[in-house]
Amino acid sequence: MSPPFPYKLPAPMDIYSDRHVPVAGLRQSVRNAAYLSLLAADAFIGRLDSVAAKIARSIDWTNWQPGRPTVLCLQRATFIKDIGEMRLHCDINFVTLPTTIVKTAQELWIPPEWRMQSYFTRFVDEELAAYLPYLERFGEALLRAAGKTHPIDAILAANTDYWQDEALRRGASRLGLPFLVLCRENYTIKQDQANVLNHYKKARFRYTGTAVAVYSNTTRDVMKMMGAYPENSVWVTGAPRFDRWREIKYIPLHERDCVTLLSYAYPIYEATENFREAASIFAEMANKRPDLRFVLKLKKDNEAADALALCPQLKQSRVEFVADWPLFDLLPRSRAVIGCNSLAVAEALLADTAVIVPAWRDALANSNTCLYHYSVPAHQKCIYFPRSAQDFSDLLEKAVRAELPSSGTAMDRRACFAEHLHSDENESSSVLVERFIRHYISQKK
């Protein structure tokens, strides 16, 4: 099981170019010799098993019930929201393992310059072939240790190309267990599709798991174009965390007590100049209407710094900065929801509220990078697109007076939502994911 010696790894490839990059710190050959010497030691080989067993004790078996399949979920943000919803509606045990623990254990012996998402599956078959037996042993030992508490029927991850998941993918294959993915990446924006295809082509990525469930038809089509997945292995299910909107209760417009701005201060939304103006108008309106709550919805608390850097007026206003208020609770209470290039905008379309997407200055300047655009008639039916600061101010005035209704029919709004997230009127996404999981469990070796 020991790797061949002497064994010198080539310099790692920069994922953004075809050149090779130098490694910081110790010389490359010294670093690789140190790592490989560690792997060769008998003490380390035995240590793999004990570390894997210790990690298995971190699995959360809460609410496990006998008589139904058990799926080990590699816990991540957003993905855990899907798991939470499926626990309510599926006849499956979803038990969770924090991926940070699995990652940290492997960082002790996988050189840092090789921990590249998408590229890692090729590395372990080529440049890092000497490490493959150890990855397989570690993954298999972890799954065997987990199975001593209760048998594991499948593994479910949040993405197809995480380097830290490769050991469990390989270990699951050795044990005849399906390694499945409910992919939290969703390729529905044209520019993203081009970037993703180019990235995976450069990485020569291939999926080493069993199958993948995705949120949209577009994402499935992009994955097919990659040629990296087994035939017929990509299923469209939608995102279970949105199933709750099927049970949404309508609140009359005049009874709603919030106006919500979904923060788009971060450069990825490509509307920083617009956010500066829109947030300033929002802050000014908040100070005029103490009877309403003006909410700046963040994904994470640390995003507040980006918003304040662009719009210092927010700090002196009545605007509430919140990250932990669930959209399912917040949006139905909102007289209007303002946002740009965020899936939360799509979610707002299900809340029967006025959805405003600013469209001046840099906002929506490139239609290929937008979720929704004023040039698309179907989007115009359901969304208000103010083309100037004054237009936005006028719409906001109407909203706070409870005089701005939702736009378009419920069917129109759901169709806009479904452009980015699969939505089936007859079956929930939880049901579709359960069918996907059971199909592959029934085929396991």
Side-chain angles (χ1 to χ4, degrees):
M1 191 169 179
S2 298
F5 284 95
Y7 189 89
K8 183 179 178 181
L9 300 175
M13 183 183 294
D14 182 342
I15 64 173
Y16 297 111
S17 73
D18 291 328
R19 72 181 187 278
H20 286 75
V21 296
V23 178
L26 297 175
R27 289 189 305 111
Q28 176 74 26
S29 59
V30 175
R31 289 170 63 86
N32 289 330
Y35 276 105
L36 288 170
S37 294
L38 172 66
L39 292 183
D42 291 338
F44 175 79
I45 295 172
R47 182 70 173 156
L48 276 180
D49 296 343
S50 62
V51 169
K54 184 177 180 179
I55 291 173
R57 292 197 289 272
S58 301
I59 295 173
D60 183 357
W61 297 91
T62 304
N63 300 322
W64 182 91
Q65 297 178 30
R68 60 184 191 176
T70 297
V71 176
L72 176 61
C73 304
L74 307 182
Q75 184 174 331
R76 287 185 178 274
T78 308
F79 176 60
I80 198 62
K81 295 180 181 179
D82 288 323
I83 300 304
E85 189 67 21
M86 290 192 293
R87 280 173 171 160
L88 299 175
H89 302 293
C90 299
D91 190 26
I92 289 177
N93 293 312
F94 292 100
V95 301
T96 54
L97 174 65
T99 52
T100 51
I101 300 176
V102 181
K103 175 185 177 183
T104 301
Q106 295 179 83
E107 286 175 342
L108 296 174
W109 51 281
I110 297 293
E113 59 270 21
W114 298 99
R115 302 170 199 157
M116 293 185 184
Q117 315 297 32
S118 310
Y119 284 74
F120 195 73
T121 56
R122 173 167 62 85
F123 289 163
V124 296
D125 282 339
E126 298 177 6
E127 296 98 322
L128 290 177
Y131 288 78
L132 182 55
Y134 301 92
L135 284 166
E136 292 177 339
R137 178 159 182 165
F138 174 69
E140 183 177 349
L142 201 164
L143 294 173
R144 285 191 185 279
K148 290 180 180 179
T149 301
H150 297 293
I152 301 293
D153 295 288
I155 296 88
L156 188 65
N159 210 338
T160 62
D161 68 342
Y162 292 137
W163 76 265
Q164 54 267 48
D165 292 352
E166 187 66 17
L168 287 169
R169 278 194 288 268
R170 303 278 181 161
S173 178
R174 289 170 67 90
L175 294 174
L177 296 175
F179 187 99
L180 307 173
V181 169
L182 176 56
C183 187
R184 65 177 185 171
E185 290 190 0
N186 195 32
Y187 314 129
T188 59
I189 295 177
K190 289 183 179 179
Q191 188 61 57
D192 288 347
Q193 294 167 16
N195 291 341
V196 163
L197 286 169
N198 181 61
H199 171 73
Y200 283 107
K201 180 180 179 181
K202 186 186 295 184
R204 304 209 317 263
F205 169 74
R206 66 180 183 84
Y207 176 55
T208 57
T210 307
V212 186
V214 297
Y215 291 165
S216 66
N217 290 321
T218 305
T219 300
R220 177 197 58 196
D221 295 342
V222 171
M223 286 185 170
K224 284 185 176 180
M225 284 187 278
M226 289 180 197
Y229 299 87
E231 189 174 357
N232 300 321
S233 66
V234 182
W235 296 42
V236 180
T237 62
R241 67 182 181 274
F242 295 118
D243 288 346
R244 297 187 67 186
W245 288 103
R246 293 171 172 269
E247 303 168 2
I248 188 68
K249 294 181 180 179
Y250 176 78
I251 300 174
L253 190 56
H254 66 279
E255 294 181 14
R256 303 183 187 190
D257 59 355
C258 298
V259 183
T260 299
L261 173 60
L262 305 167
S263 182
Y264 53 96
Y266 197 62
I268 194 173
Y269 298 107
E270 299 189 0
T272 52
E273 291 303 313
N274 177 275
F275 181 84
R276 192 191 310 275
E277 287 192 14
S280 177
I281 295 168
F282 190 77
E284 182 180 351
M285 187 68 68
N287 292 334
K288 292 180 181 178
R289 291 295 301 260
D291 56 316
L292 289 175
R293 299 178 69 176
F294 284 73
V295 177
L296 180 67
K297 180 66 172 73
L298 312 169
K299 286 185 177 180
K300 298 179 181 178
D301 287 320
N302 60 11
E303 291 182 350
D306 296 309
L308 290 171
L310 288 175
C311 183
Q313 300 97 308
L314 287 167
K315 191 171 185 178
Q316 309 301 325
S317 73
R318 292 181 54 258
V319 174
E320 302 175 45
F321 287 61
V322 300
D324 57 356
W325 195 341
L327 292 175
F328 183 80
D329 295 325
L330 173 61
L331 300 187
R333 293 175 55 174
S334 300
R335 295 188 177 186
V337 176
I338 304 124
C340 184
N341 286 337
S342 166
L343 275 180
V345 173
E347 201 165 349
L349 290 167
L350 303 180
D352 196 17
T353 188
V355 178
I356 301 174
V357 174
W360 75 94
R361 287 197 180 275
D362 51 346
L364 309 194
N366 181 359
S367 61
N368 288 331
T369 64
C370 300
L371 282 174
Y372 297 109
H373 198 268
Y374 54 83
S375 63
V376 181
H379 301 171
Q380 283 189 333
K381 285 184 180 180
C382 307
I383 298 170
Y384 295 95
F385 291 101
R387 301 302 306 279
S388 68
Q390 185 59 55
D391 288 347
F392 175 67
S393 182
D394 292 344
L395 286 172
L396 196 55
E397 284 273 10
K398 291 181 180 179
V400 298
R401 295 197 304 264
E403 296 175 359
L404 190 68
S406 59
S407 186
T409 66
M411 185 176 295
D412 291 335
R413 293 192 296 274
R414 183 163 286 278
C416 278
F417 173 86
E419 287 184 21
H420 301 288
L421 294 151
H422 176 76
S423 180
D424 190 312
E425 291 186 8
N426 300 313
E427 294 184 301
S428 69
S429 290
S430 293
V431 167
L432 295 176
V433 174
E434 178 172 6
R435 185 176 301 151
F436 163 76
I437 292 170
R438 286 183 175 276
H439 172 81
Y440 288 101
I441 287 177
S442 69
Q443 295 186 347
K444 72 178 182 178
K445 298 177 184 178

